[in-house]
Amino acid sequence: MNVYDLWVMRLSNSYAWRCNRQNFLDLYNGRIGHRHLEVGPGSGWLLANADLPAEVDLTLSDLSPNSLKHTASRLQIPTTLIEQDVLEPFAENVEAFDSISLNYVLHCLPGDWSTKAAAFDNLAEKLKPGGVLFGSTVIGVDQRYTLFGKALMTAYNKIGAFGNWHDDLPGLEKALNSRFEHVKVDMIGNVALFVAEDPRATPRS
Protein backbone atom coordinates (compact mmCIF):
# COMPACT_ATOMS: atom_id res chain seq x y z
CA MET A 1 0.00 0.00 0.00
CA ASN A 2 3.01 2.31 0.25
CA VAL A 3 3.07 2.09 -3.56
CA TYR A 4 -0.56 3.32 -3.61
CA ASP A 5 0.37 6.30 -1.45
CA LEU A 6 3.22 7.23 -3.76
CA TRP A 7 1.53 6.51 -7.09
CA VAL A 8 -2.02 7.74 -6.42
CA MET A 9 -1.79 10.26 -3.61
CA ARG A 10 1.41 11.94 -4.75
CA LEU A 11 2.30 11.35 -8.40
CA SER A 12 -1.07 10.76 -10.12
CA ASN A 13 -2.91 13.45 -8.19
CA SER A 14 -0.29 16.11 -8.76
CA TYR A 15 0.93 15.32 -12.26
CA ALA A 16 -1.89 13.43 -13.99
CA TRP A 17 -5.06 14.99 -12.55
CA ARG A 18 -3.53 18.29 -11.31
CA CYS A 19 -5.23 18.09 -7.92
CA ASN A 20 -2.73 17.60 -5.13
CA ARG A 21 -3.45 15.68 -1.95
CA GLN A 22 -3.90 18.79 0.20
CA ASN A 23 -7.13 19.48 -1.70
CA PHE A 24 -8.51 16.16 -0.47
CA LEU A 25 -7.47 16.85 3.13
CA ASP A 26 -9.21 20.23 2.89
CA LEU A 27 -12.32 18.39 1.73
CA TYR A 28 -12.19 15.95 4.65
CA ASN A 29 -11.18 18.24 7.51
CA GLY A 30 -14.16 19.70 9.30
CA ARG A 31 -16.66 17.44 7.53
CA ILE A 32 -16.04 14.09 9.20
CA GLY A 33 -18.78 13.57 11.77
CA HIS A 34 -18.77 11.49 14.93
CA ARG A 35 -20.30 8.53 13.06
CA HIS A 36 -18.53 8.33 9.70
CA LEU A 37 -18.65 5.93 6.73
CA GLU A 38 -15.64 5.79 4.41
CA VAL A 39 -16.51 4.15 1.08
CA GLY A 40 -13.46 2.95 -0.84
CA PRO A 41 -10.74 3.78 1.72
CA GLY A 42 -7.87 2.84 -0.62
CA SER A 43 -4.70 2.64 1.45
CA GLY A 44 -6.22 4.68 4.28
CA TRP A 45 -3.88 7.63 3.67
CA LEU A 46 -6.62 10.24 3.83
CA LEU A 47 -8.09 8.99 7.09
CA ALA A 48 -4.63 8.60 8.57
CA ASN A 49 -3.81 12.23 7.76
CA ALA A 50 -7.19 13.93 8.20
CA ASP A 51 -8.45 15.50 11.41
CA LEU A 52 -10.71 12.82 12.88
CA PRO A 53 -13.13 13.66 15.70
CA ALA A 54 -12.27 12.34 19.13
CA GLU A 55 -13.74 8.88 19.65
CA VAL A 56 -14.93 8.70 16.05
CA ASP A 57 -17.30 5.83 15.26
CA LEU A 58 -15.71 4.73 11.98
CA THR A 59 -17.03 2.29 9.39
CA LEU A 60 -15.12 1.29 6.24
CA SER A 61 -16.85 -0.12 3.17
CA ASP A 62 -15.25 -1.68 0.10
CA LEU A 63 -15.44 -4.75 -2.11
CA SER A 64 -11.77 -5.43 -1.37
CA PRO A 65 -11.15 -7.16 1.97
CA ASN A 66 -7.45 -6.36 1.64
CA SER A 67 -8.12 -2.63 1.47
CA LEU A 68 -10.44 -2.83 4.46
CA LYS A 69 -8.00 -4.80 6.59
CA HIS A 70 -5.02 -2.65 5.62
CA THR A 71 -6.79 0.62 6.41
CA ALA A 72 -8.13 -0.67 9.71
CA SER A 73 -4.64 -1.83 10.68
CA ARG A 74 -3.09 1.47 9.62
CA LEU A 75 -5.51 3.58 11.67
CA GLN A 76 -5.30 1.42 14.79
CA ILE A 77 -8.68 2.55 16.12
CA PRO A 78 -11.88 0.53 16.57
CA THR A 79 -13.38 0.17 13.11
CA THR A 80 -16.37 -1.61 11.59
CA LEU A 81 -15.71 -3.29 8.23
CA ILE A 82 -18.38 -3.85 5.57
CA GLU A 83 -17.50 -5.78 2.41
CA GLN A 84 -19.99 -4.06 0.12
CA ASP A 85 -20.65 -2.96 -3.45
CA VAL A 86 -21.74 0.69 -3.24
CA LEU A 87 -24.09 0.11 -6.18
CA GLU A 88 -26.08 -2.29 -3.98
CA PRO A 89 -28.27 -1.20 -1.01
CA PHE A 90 -26.74 -1.49 2.43
CA ALA A 91 -28.24 -3.89 4.94
CA GLU A 92 -31.16 -2.53 6.95
CA ASN A 93 -29.28 -3.06 10.22
CA VAL A 94 -26.55 -0.60 9.19
CA GLU A 95 -27.40 2.55 11.15
CA ALA A 96 -27.30 6.00 9.56
CA PHE A 97 -24.16 8.15 9.54
CA ASP A 98 -23.36 11.79 10.26
CA SER A 99 -20.96 11.86 7.31
CA ILE A 100 -20.05 9.67 4.35
CA SER A 101 -17.05 10.05 2.05
CA LEU A 102 -16.84 8.67 -1.48
CA ASN A 103 -13.35 9.47 -2.67
CA TYR A 104 -12.07 8.23 -6.05
CA VAL A 105 -14.78 5.55 -6.28
CA LEU A 106 -17.19 6.83 -8.94
CA HIS A 107 -14.64 6.90 -11.76
CA CYS A 108 -13.89 3.23 -11.07
CA LEU A 109 -17.51 2.12 -11.40
CA PRO A 110 -18.87 0.72 -14.69
CA GLY A 111 -21.50 2.49 -16.79
CA ASP A 112 -22.56 6.12 -16.95
CA TRP A 113 -24.33 8.39 -14.46
CA SER A 114 -27.64 6.58 -15.01
CA THR A 115 -26.14 3.51 -13.35
CA LYS A 116 -23.50 5.09 -11.10
CA ALA A 117 -26.11 7.33 -9.46
CA ALA A 118 -27.39 4.24 -7.62
CA ALA A 119 -24.44 4.84 -5.29
CA PHE A 120 -25.93 8.20 -4.29
CA ASP A 121 -29.32 6.57 -3.66
CA ASN A 122 -27.79 3.89 -1.45
CA LEU A 123 -25.65 6.34 0.51
CA ALA A 124 -28.41 8.93 0.90
CA GLU A 125 -30.50 6.25 2.60
CA LYS A 126 -27.74 5.82 5.20
CA LEU A 127 -27.19 9.53 5.87
CA LYS A 128 -28.79 11.20 8.88
CA PRO A 129 -30.93 14.33 8.37
CA GLY A 130 -28.49 17.22 8.16
CA GLY A 131 -25.67 14.81 7.30
CA VAL A 132 -23.05 15.37 4.63
CA LEU A 133 -21.79 13.26 1.73
CA PHE A 134 -18.49 14.39 0.26
CA GLY A 135 -16.02 12.98 -2.20
CA SER A 136 -14.23 13.26 -5.49
CA THR A 137 -13.98 11.72 -8.93
CA VAL A 138 -11.90 12.17 -12.08
CA ILE A 139 -14.12 13.59 -14.84
CA GLY A 140 -13.82 11.97 -18.27
CA VAL A 141 -15.69 14.34 -20.64
CA ASP A 142 -14.58 17.78 -21.96
CA GLN A 143 -11.29 17.71 -20.11
CA ARG A 144 -7.82 18.92 -21.01
CA TYR A 145 -5.40 16.38 -19.62
CA THR A 146 -1.66 16.47 -19.22
CA LEU A 147 0.16 13.91 -21.37
CA PHE A 148 0.59 11.83 -18.23
CA GLY A 149 -3.11 12.15 -17.40
CA LYS A 150 -4.21 11.20 -20.92
CA ALA A 151 -1.97 8.15 -20.86
CA LEU A 152 -3.36 7.04 -17.50
CA MET A 153 -6.97 7.65 -18.56
CA THR A 154 -6.49 5.56 -21.70
CA ALA A 155 -4.67 2.75 -19.92
CA TYR A 156 -6.97 2.60 -16.90
CA ASN A 157 -10.15 2.59 -18.98
CA LYS A 158 -8.70 -0.05 -21.30
CA ILE A 159 -7.95 -2.46 -18.45
CA GLY A 160 -11.18 -1.67 -16.59
CA ALA A 161 -9.62 0.04 -13.56
CA PHE A 162 -11.52 3.20 -14.62
CA GLY A 163 -14.91 3.44 -16.28
CA ASN A 164 -15.24 7.19 -16.71
CA TRP A 165 -15.02 8.00 -20.42
CA HIS A 166 -18.69 9.06 -20.25
CA ASP A 167 -18.55 10.85 -16.87
CA ASP A 168 -19.34 14.52 -17.48
CA LEU A 169 -19.52 17.31 -14.90
CA PRO A 170 -23.15 18.35 -15.66
CA GLY A 171 -24.23 14.72 -15.25
CA LEU A 172 -22.57 14.52 -11.84
CA GLU A 173 -24.18 17.77 -10.73
CA LYS A 174 -27.62 16.62 -11.93
CA ALA A 175 -27.31 13.29 -10.13
CA LEU A 176 -26.37 15.01 -6.88
CA ASN A 177 -28.90 17.84 -7.11
CA SER A 178 -31.75 15.41 -7.68
CA ARG A 179 -30.91 13.60 -4.44
CA PHE A 180 -29.68 16.32 -2.07
CA GLU A 181 -31.00 19.74 -1.11
CA HIS A 182 -27.61 21.45 -1.00
CA VAL A 183 -24.79 20.60 -3.41
CA LYS A 184 -21.42 22.19 -4.13
CA VAL A 185 -19.05 20.90 -6.81
CA ASP A 186 -15.60 22.37 -7.49
CA MET A 187 -13.28 21.39 -10.32
CA ILE A 188 -9.57 21.33 -9.52
CA GLY A 189 -7.60 20.09 -12.48
CA ASN A 190 -9.53 17.09 -13.81
CA VAL A 191 -11.05 16.23 -10.43
CA ALA A 192 -14.55 17.12 -9.26
CA LEU A 193 -14.67 17.66 -5.50
CA PHE A 194 -18.25 17.55 -4.24
CA VAL A 195 -20.17 18.18 -1.04
CA ALA A 196 -23.85 17.19 -0.77
CA GLU A 197 -26.03 17.83 2.26
CA ASP A 198 -29.57 17.04 3.39
CA PRO A 199 -30.76 14.04 1.35
CA ARG A 200 -34.16 14.47 -0.23
CA ALA A 201 -36.94 12.23 1.04
CA THR A 202 -37.46 10.66 -2.40
CA PRO A 203 -34.39 10.51 -4.69
CA ARG A 204 -35.14 11.44 -8.30
CA SER A 205 -33.38 10.27 -11.46
Side-chain angles (χ1 to χ4, degrees):
M1 287 296 185
N2 288 334
V3 174
Y4 181 98
D5 290 351
L6 175 62
W7 181 252
V8 175
M9 298 310 302
R10 289 180 180 269
L11 297 179
S12 297
N13 280 339
S14 293
Y15 301 109
W17 320 130
R18 297 175 293 127
C19 183
N20 69 53
R21 57 187 184 164
Q22 185 59 49
N23 292 301
F24 300 94
L25 291 178
D26 292 343
L27 182 67
Y28 272 57
N29 291 338
R31 293 194 172 94
I32 299 177
H34 169 68
R35 179 165 166 76
H36 177 71
L37 170 64
E38 182 84 1
V39 180
S43 70
W45 185 93
L46 280 167
L47 289 175
N49 288 275
D51 297 328
L52 300 181
E55 299 181 357
V56 63
D57 182 357
L58 180 64
T59 297
L60 308 178
S61 176
D62 200 295
L63 269 176
S64 168
N66 290 335
S67 176
L68 294 174
K69 293 175 183 177
H70 174 84
T71 299
S73 175
R74 182 174 192 170
L75 297 175
Q76 296 186 337
I77 59 176
T79 306
T80 301
L81 307 181
I82 302 177
E83 196 170 325
Q84 168 82 28
D85 182 350
V86 72
L87 294 177
E88 297 294 332
F90 284 75
E92 291 186 4
N93 63 356
V94 176
E95 297 181 2
F97 298 90
D98 300 303
S99 60
I100 300 174
S101 58
L102 185 67
N103 184 62
Y104 273 17
V105 173
L106 294 169
H107 61 232
C108 297
L109 300 178
D112 55 21
W113 291 125
S114 66
T115 55
K116 295 185 183 193
F120 298 140
D121 291 332
N122 297 329
L123 296 177
E125 288 181 356
K126 293 302 179 180
L127 197 61
K128 293 180 180 180
V132 58
L133 168 72
F134 59 91
S136 62
T137 187
V138 177
I139 296 297
V141 177
D142 295 330
Q143 294 293 299
R144 296 182 64 182
Y145 298 103
T146 64
L147 291 177
F148 182 29
K150 183 66 173 179
L152 284 188
M153 274 285 293
T154 301
Y156 285 171
N157 275 276
K158 185 175 182 178
I159 65 174
F162 276 17
N164 66 337
W165 276 132
H166 302 291
D167 291 3
D168 62 323
L169 181 59
L172 171 63
E173 293 173 328
K174 179 180 179 181
L176 288 169
N177 278 305
S178 67
R179 291 162 172 84
F180 295 88
E181 294 288 347
H182 304 288
V183 173
K184 184 175 185 290
V185 182
D186 293 317
M187 284 296 299
I188 300 180
N190 306 115
V191 178
L193 302 158
F194 57 86
V195 179
E197 300 176 277
D198 302 324
R200 298 181 187 272
T202 303
R204 299 194 304 268
S205 298

